[in-house]
Amino acid sequence: MTITTDQLTQFRALLKNEEKSAATLNKYLRDVQRFALWLGDTPLERDAMLDYKADLMRHYAAGSVNSILAAVNGFFRFMGWKDIAVKLLKIQKALFCDERRELTRAEYARLVSAAQKVGNERLSLVMQTICATGIRVSELRFITVEAVTTGRAEVCNKG
């Protein structure tokens, strides 16, 4: 078994039909193509996929490994090659980030002040909004003039 351009085109059509975002669609295809390049002339068998998983674990964080494996496993399911798919890594969820990565109040104030000093009001407001609300950067687009005026923002992101 090999991975062909025609199969990738069909997989792309499936992802599009499933209403995946353009970024997700491109990432999945890129991950499958990267696997195909890594595979080269090696037979497409479960052992090869286990070797690929081990290789990924040497170069990427666990979350990234799982993201890549999810894309490749999804392609295998689409092709009916379920016996080649591998399990994702088990990751223990951390409810909070490491305190050493958190900004102190003084660091936050210094960043906001620095943005204001260089005349970057937008950056200052972005930092204040994220820190005050805890929203993700990808959710900033929902903070509009109307949302600020009404005191309410409706966020539709990641389901």
Side-chain angles (χ1 to χ4, degrees), residues 16-36:
K16 195 168 188 169
N17 189 49
E18 289 180 347
E19 299 182 21
K20 300 289 186 198
S21 72
T24 298
L25 194 143
N26 290 329
K27 186 211 176 300
Y28 273 39
L29 289 171
R30 192 172 50 250
D31 288 343
V32 174
Q33 288 170 327
R34 191 176 310 131
F35 169 70

Side-chain angles (χ1 to χ4, degrees), residues 73-159:
N73 282 343
F75 175 74
F76 291 160
R77 278 192 306 278
F78 167 71
M79 293 302 300
W81 304 337
K82 295 177 181 88
D83 54 323
I84 300 175
V86 295
K87 291 183 180 180
L88 302 183
L89 302 177
K90 291 185 181 177
I91 301 173
Q92 187 171 1
K93 294 196 182 224
L95 296 178
F96 301 99
C97 72
D98 187 343
E99 286 183 15
R100 293 174 295 191
R101 294 187 62 205
E102 290 181 8
L103 287 177
T104 65
R105 184 177 275 292
E107 290 168 328
Y108 162 73
R110 204 167 57 242
L111 285 170
V112 170
S113 176
Q116 290 170 342
K117 279 182 186 170
V118 297
N120 195 339
E121 184 178 0
R122 182 179 177 141
L123 178 59
S124 170
L125 291 171
V126 164
M127 286 189 290
Q128 290 178 63
T129 302
I130 289 173
C131 292
T133 63
I135 64 172
R136 297 178 176 105
V137 172
S138 62
E139 297 169 340
L140 276 171
R141 63 190 165 112
F142 298 103
I143 308 300
T144 62
V145 172
E146 180 182 322
V148 172
T149 303
T150 63
R152 176 173 159 63
E154 189 169 323
V155 177
C156 302
N157 202 24
K158 302 248 180 209

Side-chain angles (χ1 to χ4, degrees), residues 18-79:
E18 289 180 347
E19 299 182 21
K20 300 289 186 198
S21 72
T24 298
L25 194 143
N26 290 329
K27 186 211 176 300
Y28 273 39
L29 289 171
R30 192 172 50 250
D31 288 343
V32 174
Q33 288 170 327
R34 191 176 310 131
F35 169 70
L37 282 173
W38 178 91
L39 190 63
D41 293 333
T42 305
L44 181 52
E45 298 171 347
R46 183 164 169 76
D47 284 345
M49 191 58 190
L50 289 170
D51 290 343
Y52 185 61
K53 179 180 177 179
D55 190 42
L56 290 173
M57 290 168 56
R58 284 190 291 275
H59 296 95
Y60 295 98
S64 297
V65 170
N66 281 349
S67 175
I68 294 166
L69 293 177
V72 177
N73 282 343
F75 175 74
F76 291 160
R77 278 192 306 278
F78 167 71
M79 293 302 300

